C-alpha cells in the first residue's frame, strides 16, 4: 500500500508554474507523478489544492543534544523542523560534549533513528572541543557520517590550523563550513559596531570581524582545493568576497539567514537594547548590509537560506543584552516568513525561493532530495499559500521561543510534511 496525494498542485521548478498532479509514494520513494493515479488500495491524502514542494533542507541548526536539552532536543528540534516543512537538517557540533569524535556522530544518528522527525546530518568539529588547539580526526568523522566539519559558534583563529584542516578536508572531499569571526576584532561585542552600538553604549562587533576571516579562508581554500562553505553571511564586504571567489571559479558557497535578509540593528535601537530576543551572532547589521545580502541572494552569490535555528531558554534570554546568549529560533516559520516578505512583495519568485530552501542545499552538499521527481526520495512538503497565521511561540514544537518575529502574520505554512515516505507533520 502506498501513500497517494490527491488534489495538489506541484510547483514546476523550471517554469514556476503550478501543475495539477497526483503523487504516489511507495516506501521511501516517489513511485509515480501523474495527472491521475489509480486509487485502489492506497492511503489517500486530500491536499485541498495545496502546493507541493520539495522538503526543505536547512544546513545550519542547533539541536543542542547532548548537553543542552533544556534548550532543545533532537526530538523537539526535528518536530519543529517538520512543522516548518523541513525534511533534512544539518546540526552543529557546539553541544556538550562537542561532536568531535565518530562515536558522537553515531550518537546523533542513533537518537534521530529513535526520536527524529526528519533526516539529521551531523557536522563534526574541526578542532577538539572547538577549542582551536588540536585538529579532530577528520577522516574518522567523515567515515562515521559527518556531513561537513565546522567549529560553528566560534571561529578557528589559527590560520595554520585552518590550513591543515582544509588540506585533510580536500583529500577527504568533505566541506569545511566556517563560522567566520576574528575574536580580536569581535572582542566582547554583543551587537553590530556602529552608530547604534555607540548610542546605546553597548560593545560592538564590526563587520570586519567576519569579512577578514572569509578573505583568509578563501585564500586557504584556493591553495588547498577544499570546498569552503561560509555560514550565516551578514556583511556587505563578505558578500563581495564570496562573489569574487565564485568569479574566480573557487569551490566557495554560502548561506544567509531569514533575519539577516529582513532585519537590521534598528530593531535593537527601537527597544533601547532592552530585549535580548534581538541578540544574535553574527549581529543584525545596517540597511546597506541587509541590501547586500538580498542582492547576493538574487544574483546567485548566496546559494541557500539557512535558519541558524539557535534555541535558548526563556530565562537565558531575559538577561541583559550584554549578558544573554546569542541566537534566534527560526526553523518553524522560515519559509512562511520569506514567502510573505519576499515572494508576495515581488522581490523573488516562488521557484527561486524554493531552490534556496531545497534544491541548492541538496546540490551543494550532494544530498538526496531538493526536487520532487519520479524515482526520487519522498521528501516533500505541502504548503497553503492563502491562509495567514501569526508567528506564535506558544504554538512552537521547539523549546526555543526566542525570536524577534513574534506576532508577525505570514502565509505559506506547511499542512503536510513527508520524510522518506513517512508523514512527519500534518495539520488537523
Ligand atoms: O546566534 C548564534 N547562536 N550564533 C552562533 O554562532 C551560535 C549560536 C548558538 O549556538 O546559540
Amino acid at each position: 500500500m502506498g501513500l497517494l496525494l490527491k488534489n495538489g498542485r506541484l510547483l514546476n521548478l523550471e517554469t514556476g508554474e503550478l501543475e495539477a498532479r497526483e503523487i504516489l509514494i511507495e516506501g521511501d520513494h516517489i513511485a509515480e507523478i501523474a495527472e491521475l493515479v489509480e486509487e485502489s488500495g492506497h492511503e489517500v491524502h486530500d491536499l485541498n489544492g495545496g502546493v507541493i514542494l520539495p522538503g526543505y533542507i536547512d544546513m545550519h541548526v542547533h539541536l543542542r543534544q547532548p548537553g543542552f536539552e533544556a534548550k532543545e532536543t533532537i526530538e523537539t528540534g526535528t518536530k519543529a523542523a517538520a512543522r516548518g516543512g523541513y525534511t533534512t537538517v544539518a546540526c552543529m557540533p557546539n553541544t556538550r560534549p562537542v561532536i568531535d569524535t565518530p562515536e558522537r556522530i553515531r550518537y546523533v544518528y542513533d537518537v534521530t533513528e529513535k526520536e527524529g522527525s526528519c533526516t539529521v546530518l551531523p557536522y563534526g568539529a574541526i578542532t577538539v572541543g572547538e577549542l582551536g588547539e588540536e585538529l579532530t580526526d577528520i577522516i574518522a568523522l567523515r567515515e562515521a557520517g559527518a556531513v561537513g566539519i565546522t567549529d560553528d559558534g566560534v571561529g578557528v583563529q589559527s590560520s595554520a590550523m585552518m590550513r591543515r584542516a582544509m588540506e585533510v578536508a580536500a583529500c577527504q572531499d568533505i566541506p569545511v563550513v566556517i563560522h567566520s569571526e576574528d575574536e580580536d576584532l569581535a572582542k566582547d561585542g554583543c551587537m553590530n559596531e556602529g552608530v547604534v552600538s555607540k548610542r546605546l553604549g553597548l560593545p560592538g562587533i564590526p563587520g570586519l570581524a567576519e569579512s577578514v576571516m572569509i578573505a583568509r579562508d578563501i585564500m586557504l581554500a584556493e591553495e588547498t582545493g577544499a570546498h569552503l562553505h561560509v555560514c550565516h553571511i551578514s556583511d556587505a564586504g563578505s558578500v563581495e568576497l564570496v562573489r569574487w571567489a565564485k568569479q574566480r571559479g573557487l569551490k566557495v558557497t554560502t548561506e544567509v539567514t531569514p533575519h539577516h535578509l529582513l532585519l537590521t540593528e534598528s530593531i535593537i535601537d527601537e527597544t533601547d537594547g532592552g530585549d535580548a530576543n534581538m541578540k544574535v551572532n553574527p549581529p543584525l547589521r545596517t540597511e546597506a548590509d541587509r541590501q547586500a545580502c538580498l542582492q547576493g541572494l538574487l544574483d546567485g552569490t548566496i546559494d541557500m537560506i539557512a535558519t541558524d535555528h539557535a534555541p535558548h531558554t526563556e530565562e537565558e534570554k531575559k538577561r541583559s543584552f550584554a549578558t544573554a546568549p546569542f541566537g534566534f529560533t527560526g526553523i518553524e516559520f522560515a519559509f512562511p516568513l520569506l514567502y510573505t516578505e519576499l515572494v508576495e512583495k515581488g522581490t523573488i519568485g516562488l521557484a527561486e525561493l524554493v531552490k534556496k530552501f531545497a534544491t541548492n542545499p541538496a546540490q551543494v552538499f550532494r544530498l538526496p532530495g531538493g526536487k520532487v521527481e519520479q524515482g526520487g526520495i519522498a521528501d516533500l512538503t505541502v504548503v497553503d499559500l492563502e491562509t495567514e497565521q501569526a508567528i506564535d511561540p506558544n504554538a512552537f514544537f521547539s523549546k526555543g521561543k526566542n525570536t524577534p518575529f513574534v506576532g508577525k502574520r505570514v502565509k505559506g505554512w506547511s499542512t503536510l510534511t513527508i520524510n522518506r515516505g513517512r508523514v512527519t507533520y500534518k495539520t488537523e
Side-chain angles (χ1 to χ4, degrees), residues 49-51 339 382-388 411-415:
V51 174
Y339 172 75
V382 178
V383 296
D384 170 358
L385 298 180
E386 269 84 53
T387 311
E388 198 175 77
K411 295 177 188 172
W413 296 90
S414 282
T415 57

Side-chain angles (χ1 to χ4, degrees), residues 318-333:
K318 277 195 187 124
R319 295 180 197 157
S320 72
F321 205 91
T323 58
F326 291 102
F328 294 166
T329 62
I331 203 156
E332 236 155 315
F333 54 83

Side-chain angles (χ1 to χ4, degrees), residues 69-123:
E69 287 84 354
K71 298 174 195 265
E72 193 77 290
T73 63
I74 290 173
E75 184 182 1
T76 56
T78 59
K79 270 180 86 172
R83 178 171 180 240
Y86 289 88
T87 49
T88 298
V89 301
C91 65
M92 288 300 172
N94 62 339
T95 48
R96 190 187 295 145
V98 166
I99 314 270
D100 57 5
T101 64
E103 292 73 28
R104 292 173 190 160
I105 294 281
R106 283 193 284 272
Y107 166 83
V108 174
Y109 280 115
D110 287 348
V111 177
T112 303
E113 177 82 27
K114 293 190 205 100
E115 297 163 16
S117 294
C118 69
T119 303
V120 175
L121 304 171
Y123 285 109

Side-chain angles (χ1 to χ4, degrees), residues 60 62 64 71 92 94 152-154 179 181 232 259 279-282 308-312 317 325-328:
H60 196 136
H62 296 269
R64 305 298 194 203
K71 298 174 195 265
M92 288 300 172
N94 62 339
D152 185 63
V154 287
H179 172 110
E181 185 170 12
H232 42 51
H259 45 273
K279 177 175 176 178
V280 72
N281 193 23
D308 194 5
H309 176 75
H312 292 290
K317 280 299 206 178
F326 291 102
F328 294 166

